[in-house]
């Protein structure tokens, strides 16, 4: 098959753009810039990198989309503050798109969250304080109260998972779990289970609240194997639901 010259030009431009975005990220690292720090001006960057203004602006747009750079109009370009919003948007899109063709990526996203939470729950048990256990109990109690009333308890569910791992004091982990929660909720809504935060089609509100209570009991008892097993069981339902949904899509 003969490749047209136009395609060669397009590929060359894309490669140059990727190289330039890489050069800008290297510049940020080499200068030790931190989130919130100002980048060199547009004029300084074009001179230092040896590129035109339009090419630089295209590269900056890419870095904005990646969450590396932010532009404050009237002030200049800055290293973006720590956030994973770009990752969340990308993973959410990929998960939803995959539901239209067998759902493999959506299932993989759920599997990653499952691996994180089931794998780290032992460390969370070691670090949990009485105050954090009390806060977890309050979250589960709220879930149980709402379940009895037939009410949605998405906020309490999310708070339970946030509190469970907050004792590890790992900001990146907290942000990453937040990303997976956002992606996970979007996938749930897409398969028609948005009324219950972490349940599958065979569970009801009481069942979902009950498994959270069981997880908390295992955490309180410092039973790491049981806590991990329960957390894995907690995610098995939605993975089965995804498989059924994708099979009928």
């Amino acid at each position: 098959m003969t490749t047209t010259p136009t395609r060669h030009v397009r590929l060359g431009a894309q490669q140059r753009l990727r190289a330039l975005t890489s050069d800008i990220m290297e510049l940020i690292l080499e200068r030790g810039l931190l989130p919130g720090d100002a980048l060199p001006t547009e004029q300084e960057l074009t001179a230092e990198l040896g590129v035109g203004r339009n090419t630089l602006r295209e590269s900056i747009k890419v870095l904005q989309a990646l969450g590396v750079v932010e532009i404050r109009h009237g002030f200049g370009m800055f290293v973006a503050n720590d956030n994973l919003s770009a990752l969340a948007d990308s993973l959410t899109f990929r998960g939803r798109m995959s539901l239209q063709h067998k759902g493999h990526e959506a299932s993989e996203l759920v599997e990653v969250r499952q691996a994180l939470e089931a794998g780290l729950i032992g460390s969370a048990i070691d670090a949990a304080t009485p105050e954090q256990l009390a806060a977890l109990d309050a979250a589960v109690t709220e879930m149980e109260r709402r379940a009895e009333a037939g009410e949605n308890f998405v906020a309490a569910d999310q708070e339970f998972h946030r509190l469970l791992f907050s004792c590890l004091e790992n900001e990146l982990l907290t942000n990453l779990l937040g990303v997976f929660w956002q992606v996970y909720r979007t996938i749930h809504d897409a398969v028609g289970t948005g009324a219950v935060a972490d349940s599958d089609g065979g569970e009801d509100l009481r069942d979902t609240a009950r498994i959270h209570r069981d997880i908390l009991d295992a955490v309180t008892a410092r039973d790491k194997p049981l806590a991990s097993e329960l957390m894995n069981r907690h995610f098995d339902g939605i993975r089965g639901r995804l498989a059924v949904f994708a099979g009928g899509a």
Side-chain angles (χ1 to χ4, degrees):
M1 178 178 177
T2 302
T3 304
T4 65
T6 301
R7 186 182 177 195
H8 277 305
V9 171
R10 185 168 62 249
L11 288 176
Q14 291 172 347
Q15 291 167 351
R16 289 194 297 272
L17 184 61
R18 283 196 295 269
L20 180 55
T21 56
S22 177
D23 287 344
I24 296 172
M25 287 190 285
E26 284 299 319
L27 181 147
I28 291 171
L29 294 172
E30 288 171 1
R31 297 192 179 186
L33 299 181
L34 299 174
D37 286 348
L39 270 69
T41 65
E42 187 178 89
Q43 184 176 1
E44 290 169 338
L45 284 174
T46 55
E48 182 167 348
L49 299 171
V51 296
R53 180 175 295 180
N54 289 338
T55 303
L56 177 67
R57 288 178 177 175
E58 286 299 314
S59 184
I60 292 298
K61 287 179 182 178
V62 173
L63 292 171
Q64 275 187 285
L66 293 174
V68 174
V69 170
E70 63 175 309
I71 294 178
R72 302 175 193 171
H73 295 290
F75 295 94
M77 299 177 291
F78 297 81
V79 180
N81 289 316
D82 297 326
N83 70 76
L84 299 178
S85 58
L87 175 62
D89 292 343
S90 175
L91 291 179
T92 298
F93 172 75
R94 290 178 61 183
R96 292 183 63 188
M97 185 170 65
S98 78
L99 293 176
Q100 301 176 14
H101 49 85
K102 301 189 182 301
H104 292 317
E105 287 188 349
S107 182
E108 288 170 354
L109 289 169
V110 174
E111 185 176 359
V112 170
R113 183 187 166 195
Q114 178 177 355
L116 278 173
E117 297 205 22
L120 290 170
I121 197 167
S123 297
I125 287 173
D126 289 335
T129 66
E131 292 77 17
Q132 286 162 330
L133 291 175
L136 284 165
D137 182 75
V140 175
T141 298
E142 176 67 7
M143 293 169 69
E144 292 168 336
R145 184 188 70 78
R146 287 183 171 273
E148 288 300 320
E151 298 175 354
N152 185 297
F153 48 71
V154 171
D157 193 341
Q158 183 174 4
E159 181 67 357
F160 175 88
H161 289 269
R162 186 192 70 78
L163 286 168
L164 184 58
F165 298 99
S166 64
C167 56
L168 297 178
E169 298 182 350
N170 185 320
E171 185 176 355
L172 177 59
L173 172 64
T174 299
N175 290 337
L176 189 57
L177 289 175
V179 166
F180 278 103
W181 175 272
Q182 179 181 333
V183 174
Y184 191 76
R185 286 289 301 123
T186 302
I187 292 172
H188 264 284
D189 292 344
V191 298
T193 56
V196 182
D198 276 337
S199 68
D200 75 327
E203 293 178 323
D204 61 14
L205 291 165
R206 290 191 183 94
D207 292 331
T208 304
R210 187 177 301 115
I211 195 167
H212 283 81
R213 174 62 68 185
D214 291 342
I215 291 170
L216 178 56
D217 288 344
V219 169
T220 303
R222 310 286 178 178
D223 190 333
K224 296 180 184 180
L226 178 59
S228 182
E229 177 188 340
L230 290 169
M231 188 64 80
N232 274 313
R233 191 183 306 168
H234 180 42
F235 285 99
D236 285 341
I238 181 59
R239 293 175 65 195
R241 174 75 173 177
L242 280 171
V244 171
F245 178 86

